[in-house]
Amino acid sequence: MSTQDEKQSQLTHLDEQGNIHMVDVTERPETMREAIAHAQVRMLPATTRSIEHNQVAKGSVLETAKIAGIMAAKQTPQLIPLCHPLPMTHIDLHFTLDSTQGIITIEGRTRTTYKTGVDVEALTAVTVAALTIYDMCKGVDTTITLEQAYIAQKSGGKSGTVTFKPEQRS
Amino acid sequence: MSTQDEKQSQLTHLDEQGNIHMVDVTERPETMREAIAHAQVRMLPATTRSIEHNQVAKGSVLETAKIAGIMAAKQTPQLIPLCHPLPMTHIDLHFTLDSTQGIITIEGRTRTTYKTGVDVEALTAVTVAALTIYDMCKGVDTTITLEQAYIAQKSGGKSGTVTFKPEQRS
Amino acid sequence: MSTQDEKQSQLTHLDEQGNIHMVDVTERPETMREAIAHAQVRMLPATTRSIEHNQVAKGSVLETAKIAGIMAAKQTPQLIPLCHPLPMTHIDLHFTLDSTQGIITIEGRTRTTYKTGVDVEALTAVTVAALTIYDMCKGVDTTITLEQAYIAQKSGGKSGTVTFKPEQRS
Amino acid sequence: MSTQDEKQSQLTHLDEQGNIHMVDVTERPETMREAIAHAQVRMLPATTRSIEHNQVAKGSVLETAKIAGIMAAKQTPQLIPLCHPLPMTHIDLHFTLDSTQGIITIEGRTRTTYKTGVDVEALTAVTVAALTIYDMCKGVDTTITLEQAYIAQKSGGKSGTVTFKPEQRS
Amino acid sequence: MSTQDEKQSQLTHLDEQGNIHMVDVTERPETMREAIAHAQVRMLPATTRSIEHNQVAKGSVLETAKIAGIMAAKQTPQLIPLCHPLPMTHIDLHFTLDSTQGIITIEGRTRTTYKTGVDVEALTAVTVAALTIYDMCKGVDTTITLEQAYIAQKSGGKSGTVTFKPEQRS
Amino acid sequence: MSTQDEKQSQLTHLDEQGNIHMVDVTERPETMREAIAHAQVRMLPATTRSIEHNQVAKGSVLETAKIAGIMAAKQTPQLIPLCHPLPMTHIDLHFTLDSTQGIITIEGRTRTTYKTGVDVEALTAVTVAALTIYDMCKGVDTTITLEQAYIAQKSGGKSGTVTFKPEQRS
């Protein structure tokens, strides 16, 4: 059996015949699960300053993005077909503005005590927050891009704590 | 009035006091609107080959991502707070695999005849498709990242056709 | 080209390469569309009489099924992946009880003025109404089955009025 | 008290006055619950062959129906008014094509560890999968009908394992 | 025919037999519709001051309530059973704090060009905004109540502009 | 530290910097939680009699309002941004008509065994039931108002049983 075939047989949402399926987590124990996702939105530095200025005064763009991200995390099983519904016990998002570079960094943290992890929920939260920033600023800046998004850390379950930085890719 | 203030006053989801608000499109004419969004997912080349191999045989990962993207586009006004509900008349997604680099490129196209554009819908479609690829492959590859996503083209409305490539950023 | 291949090329949700896709209705004219769907639920005659007795007094089971069917029709594009969102202008459900045979017949009617039809919406309405009857009566009757459901009539669009009775199947 | 009244008083979603109500499951123990639902879709044999041919090549129709069924199962409490939200731990659908008869048989299996069963979820999954097959094939076949759907088996809870075949109806 | 019977026969969501039904708006012309809803939330004056203080600094409670109200307005047809889906073109909410009395007044405005009005959408917006204020402040104030909510004005359609003040009730 | 500041620092959905956040309930024990919410709808006495008359015959308006309230309670975490998803085990609504005064009183009860309470769910249930009554009767009565709504009792969690009557406000 080749390495490639081995990989394929492990694709957890595919059964032996290669059909999609939802992983059966019925018999798994409940453990405390956490995940941290990162995402970035790039825009003109002037746009970042507009957000920052407004943020101090009225808090609008990032506040709206934060609420959108939290609400989307709760909707994850309705968005991602093979995701299990789960009782999320915490969702938080934090934004950092770099108005010199024109970059907003979003960090999302999710927690639950359940049979499966909350990483897709964290990644959904930061991604929808980024989409919301795009939506609110596209009228003044046609150069906005969603940049790299990934799971920086997840813990709980049989894999223990896993940390990842994209720079580690060889 | 400084350039920065000027920019800020144009933030289309903020009113004069800086509060968030939904743009009023009641009196706008209906025109044909189209948008094209691009996104990329990066993974181990071996994972791309697993998807490709399976795609030929059973079509699972990309098929699931495509359906997730189409369904998410229809949910856009429920995800993005200040987005208008609109009667989308077409949504399509197309995937290109580069199994040497380990990159999947997603192109999403949306169309409607309405008072406002469908670019957020297109960007939501490719983003949720990317999240679905992450969800289905994370069991075999812990290095998956969502890469740059943006609106490559939009047409219709008073701005006419606008094309954008991130490389144009100075 | 064989007859079978011909059929396949007409599968309206598949493009030339056989990939799924949503039909593009952007350029279609709006016409008045109507659809009538039929479904049946079979149960013990005594269960039908319970529903009927209660229906006269308090209207519960069929009233609940009716509301569930109407609300599900409005959710059709969120349930059926390649269905277009559309502005439904009327949904109605009518129930007929045959307490000798233990059969409830459900008729659902939908209307809109739009670029595509409302038949899937009508079929979703009667089907979810049937599921609701199952849910409300399963505690007293373990023999409940959903029986044949189909579109009895649809009109509007380029096909004009089409009527169908399952008995016509050869 | 007559047999009929007895039946009525057991309608689990009705209280003593005959009003609808949601069953209170607060004090029930959590047990492992499973359900198996069956449904059939009837069409022209040529349509079944189109699906089959395409299924081998690209997997489209049944793959889409499978995803729709899984996602609908997760939406069951939003569709069926008196259904409890529950943490479903597994949903699977399996399709069998009989291209001589023109029949697709759908089997849906659901699992959870909770205070109430997952049979309505399983029946919702197969029914929405059937609706999706209708939607994707109606363009080439106007004779499609949803045929009998029912719960073939459920286990867990105080009733233990219950098996049902519609032929047993007297 | 008595006055009471007359009234009953006009209950627009009931048909001649007294069954619920959705009003058929298929043949109605599209006109510009607007609605204004009012609601109030009462709390300890100190709680109002906390919100106000925070509002100036970070904008949290009312900003969150505003977003919740806008998003709920878009969900109205999924919440209110017999409400038609409609393409809302504007939703806005405005909050006024009376920190002497401990009262927050919410005004919601909705607009569309369609066959039916947007008053239920406006009332849903202010009501869900009020529920959100309750949710965010209940930890520090156990005396919060939602006070009177109503449609203050609606225009468009055959009734023209209708204005209402609850004090006019005799 | 002043009393006002103290209050503010306790606003449970705000962190130390005054940003909104979802309360982290991960480590809390599960206890049995109950809540009772009250709401009132005021209308012309003749409208109340129409509802009552119809209620006896066909049960429509209040039955529809009850179902809408139950379904909305299940949707609470999708409506109220910082609300946790939770496995609600019981929702019930009860209506009392005063056709002399033209008042419908709604009582909603919710139960769960979880880490956080079900009071927002109960308040959402009675409020959406009230909105549904408005929607169904507005065609015959333009004077309908939603009156006071509040949590009359909640129990479970560290606060024990808390009872509240609005008249206690000084």
Side-chain angles (χ1 to χ4, degrees), chain F residues 65-85:
Chain F
K66 185 170 186 171
I67 294 168
I70 289 172
M71 294 183 85
K74 293 190 274 187
Q75 291 279 45
T76 305
Q78 270 76 58
L79 290 172
I80 310 300
L82 303 177
C83 228
H84 295 84

Side-chain angles (χ1 to χ4, degrees), chain C:
Chain C
M1 195 190 214
S2 74
T3 306
Q4 187 185 316
D5 287 346
E6 216 161 67
K7 278 283 176 211
Q8 186 188 354
S9 68
Q10 296 169 5
L11 274 173
T12 48
H13 288 103
L14 300 177
D15 65 14
E16 319 76 58
Q17 284 78 45
N19 294 311
I20 55 157
H21 82 292
M22 185 186 240
V23 176
D24 186 348
V25 302
T26 314
E27 324 250 348
R28 288 198 199 164
E30 300 198 341
T31 60
M32 217 262 273
R33 310 286 195 130
E34 294 182 291
I36 303 174
H38 285 181
Q40 286 195 324
V41 184
R42 185 180 286 270
M43 55 190 66
L44 295 174
T47 309
T48 323
R49 284 192 296 271
S50 282
I51 292 171
E52 193 170 33
H53 180 76
N54 183 262
Q55 178 63 12
V56 172
K58 288 276 173 179
S60 297
V61 176
L62 301 188
E63 207 91 309
T64 308
K66 185 169 186 171
I67 294 168
I70 289 172
M71 294 183 85
K74 293 190 274 186
Q75 291 278 46
T76 304
Q78 271 75 57
L79 290 172
I80 310 301
L82 303 179
C83 227
H84 295 84
L86 57 79
M88 219 170 316
T89 50
H90 191 51
I91 312 162
D92 199 18
L93 283 98
H94 186 75
F95 299 85
T96 312
L97 278 84
D98 176 340
S99 54
T100 308
Q101 299 284 329
I103 291 176
I104 299 176
T105 303
I106 311 171
E107 184 181 274
R109 289 166 178 265
T110 50
R111 300 181 89 193
T112 194
T113 301
Y114 197 58
K115 302 171 178 201
T116 180
V118 282
D119 50 326
V120 182
E121 285 75 8
L123 203 54
T124 299
V126 295
T127 303
V128 172
L131 286 169
T132 302
I133 293 172
Y134 168 85
D135 179 49
M136 292 183 75
C137 300
K138 67 181 182 158
V140 292
D141 186 344
T142 59
T143 73
I144 302 168
T145 55
L146 277 61
E147 299 291 327
Q148 203 172 58
Y150 59 94
I151 292 298
Q153 191 178 307
K154 57 181 170 179
S155 60
K158 62 183 174 191
S159 317
T161 299
V162 178
T163 308
F164 170 64
K165 280 188 199 164
E167 294 79 13
Q168 294 173 338
R169 184 187 305 280
S170 54

Side-chain angles (χ1 to χ4, degrees), chain E residues 7 13 16 21 27 29 43 78 81-82 84 86-87 110-111 116 123 134-135 143 152 161:
Chain E
K7 278 281 175 214
H13 289 105
E16 317 79 55
H21 81 293
E27 324 250 346
M43 56 190 63
Q78 271 74 59
L82 303 178
H84 296 84
L86 57 78
T110 50
R111 300 181 90 193
T116 180
L123 203 53
Y134 168 85
D135 179 49
T143 73
T161 299

Side-chain angles (χ1 to χ4, degrees), chain B residues 11-39:
Chain B
L11 274 173
T12 48
H13 289 104
L14 301 176
D15 65 14
E16 318 78 56
Q17 283 78 44
N19 293 310
I20 54 157
H21 80 293
M22 184 186 242
V23 177
D24 187 347
V25 302
T26 313
E27 324 251 348
R28 288 198 198 163
E30 300 198 341
T31 60
M32 217 262 273
R33 310 288 195 131
E34 295 182 291
I36 303 174
H38 285 182

Side-chain angles (χ1 to χ4, degrees), chain F:
Chain F
M1 193 188 216
S2 75
T3 306
Q4 187 186 315
D5 287 351
E6 217 163 69
K7 278 285 175 213
Q8 187 187 352
S9 68
Q10 296 168 8
L11 274 174
T12 49
H13 289 105
L14 300 177
D15 66 14
E16 318 79 53
Q17 284 80 43
N19 293 310
I20 55 156
H21 80 294
M22 187 187 239
V23 177
D24 187 347
V25 302
T26 315
E27 324 251 346
R28 288 198 198 164
E30 299 197 341
T31 59
M32 216 263 272
R33 309 287 195 130
E34 294 183 291
I36 303 175
H38 284 181
Q40 285 195 325
V41 184
R42 184 182 287 271
M43 56 189 64
L44 295 174
T47 310
T48 324
R49 284 192 296 273
S50 281
I51 292 172
E52 192 171 33
H53 180 75
N54 185 258
Q55 177 61 12
V56 172
K58 289 277 174 177
S60 296
V61 176
L62 301 188
E63 207 93 308
T64 307
K66 185 170 186 171
I67 294 168
I70 289 172
M71 294 183 85
K74 293 190 274 187
Q75 291 279 45
T76 305
Q78 270 76 58
L79 290 172
I80 310 300
L82 303 177
C83 228
H84 295 84
L86 56 77
M88 219 170 316
T89 51
H90 191 52
I91 311 162
D92 199 19
L93 283 100
H94 186 76
F95 300 85
T96 312
L97 277 84
D98 177 340
S99 53
T100 307
Q101 299 285 328
I103 292 177
I104 299 176
T105 303
I106 312 171
E107 183 181 275
R109 289 166 178 264
T110 49
R111 301 182 88 192
T112 193
T113 301
Y114 197 58
K115 303 170 179 204
T116 181
V118 282
D119 50 327
V120 182
E121 285 76 6
L123 203 54
T124 300
V126 295
T127 303
V128 172
L131 285 169
T132 302
I133 292 172
Y134 168 84
D135 178 50
M136 291 182 75
C137 300
K138 66 180 183 159
V140 292
D141 185 345
T142 59
T143 73
I144 303 168
T145 54
L146 278 63
E147 299 292 326
Q148 203 172 58
Y150 59 94
I151 293 298
Q153 190 178 305
K154 57 181 170 179
S155 59
K158 61 184 176 189
S159 317
T161 298
V162 177
T163 307
F164 170 65
K165 280 188 199 165
E167 294 78 13
Q168 294 172 339
R169 183 186 307 276
S170 55

Side-chain angles (χ1 to χ4, degrees), chain E residues 40-114:
Chain E
Q40 285 195 325
V41 184
R42 185 181 286 270
M43 56 190 63
L44 295 173
T47 309
T48 323
R49 285 193 294 272
S50 283
I51 292 173
E52 195 171 29
H53 180 77
N54 182 262
Q55 178 62 15
V56 171
K58 289 276 173 178
S60 297
V61 176
L62 301 188
E63 208 92 309
T64 307
K66 185 169 185 171
I67 295 168
I70 289 173
M71 294 183 86
K74 293 191 273 186
Q75 290 279 45
T76 306
Q78 271 74 59
L79 289 172
I80 309 301
L82 303 178
C83 230
H84 296 84
L86 57 78
M88 218 169 318
T89 50
H90 191 51
I91 312 163
D92 199 19
L93 281 98
H94 186 74
F95 300 84
T96 312
L97 278 83
D98 177 340
S99 53
T100 308
Q101 299 285 329
I103 291 177
I104 298 175
T105 302
I106 312 171
E107 184 181 274
R109 289 168 178 263
T110 50
R111 300 181 90 193
T112 194
T113 301
Y114 197 57

Side-chain angles (χ1 to χ4, degrees), chain D residues 84-103:
Chain D
H84 295 83
L86 56 77
M88 218 169 319
T89 50
H90 190 53
I91 311 163
D92 199 18
L93 281 99
H94 186 76
F95 299 84
T96 312
L97 277 84
D98 177 340
S99 54
T100 307
Q101 300 284 328
I103 291 176

